[in-house]
Amino acid sequence: MNDPIANALARTLLPLFWVAVWSSGEGCRAFPEPEVSGKAVVTRAGEELVIDTGRDGTDGVGLDDHPIGLCVVRNAGDLSVVVDNGDDTGLSYVNIMAGGGLPHASAKIDGDLYQGACELIVQEQQGEPYEADVAAGPCDLVRLFDGAKARLETAVFHVSDCSGAD
């Protein structure tokens, strides 16, 4: 499979994944907008790539901001944190996720999706609604279809008002 097809497939499947995550669960409920702050560093072929919510990861972003920040909590232990700057150049998207006992990470670099198993550390805070510090890395990420490698060096995010939290 060539790169244009792989890119089109990744662009098509990613929104469908989020539709499934948002629509699964207990029906439609209104939630406050989630807020995410932090940054992630990925290396690929000796190049360091960074995605940052602003001011070295201290600015918080939500669904109406750029970059977009999103966090979803489904069940105890199921958490997804996403930062997406909406661009296909450099490191444009990071998702660290623990779901079904299988923690992993995804990163989009120059329009290509890389994925890999990656342990997450979640430190819940006392805030209401759901608030936590979430970290991942280092771990290897592999590009789909050809096995090219990148490495998530670190991803550290603070999340609050996560969608789906009880």
Side-chain angles (χ1 to χ4, degrees), residues 9-165:
L9 183 61
R11 283 190 191 97
T12 302
L13 293 178
L14 189 60
L16 292 175
F17 167 77
W18 284 111
V19 167
V21 168
W22 283 101
S23 62
S24 65
E26 302 172 10
C28 189
R29 296 184 289 181
F31 294 102
E33 181 175 305
E35 186 174 289
V36 177
S37 61
K39 76 179 193 178
V41 177
V42 174
T43 55
R44 180 187 64 169
E47 180 182 18
E48 183 176 273
L49 305 162
V50 177
I51 192 166
D52 187 339
T53 62
R55 292 186 339 163
D56 202 28
T58 59
D59 283 349
V61 295
L63 294 172
D64 296 330
D65 301 311
H66 291 286
I68 293 170
L70 173 68
C71 55
V72 176
V73 177
R74 280 289 157 224
N75 302 308
D78 287 358
L79 170 69
S80 177
V81 179
V82 175
V83 174
D84 186 342
N85 70 11
D87 190 5
D88 272 347
T89 58
L91 178 60
S92 61
Y93 166 91
V94 170
N95 179 12
I96 54 176
M97 177 184 285
L102 300 171
H104 60 282
S106 299
K108 193 173 178 186
I109 305 170
D110 294 330
D112 293 327
L113 188 64
Y114 292 74
Q115 298 178 317
C118 196
E119 184 177 347
L120 266 64
I121 299 169
V122 178
Q123 294 179 323
E124 291 185 26
Q125 305 298 311
Q126 299 296 2
E128 282 294 328
Y130 190 82
E131 185 176 359
D133 291 320
V134 184
C139 60
D140 292 328
L141 305 175
V142 178
R143 185 168 58 193
L144 302 177
F145 304 114
D146 71 356
K149 292 187 179 181
R151 184 163 179 84
L152 175 66
E153 300 296 341
T154 184
V156 179
F157 296 104
H158 179 82
V159 299
S160 62
D161 294 331
C162 292
S163 301

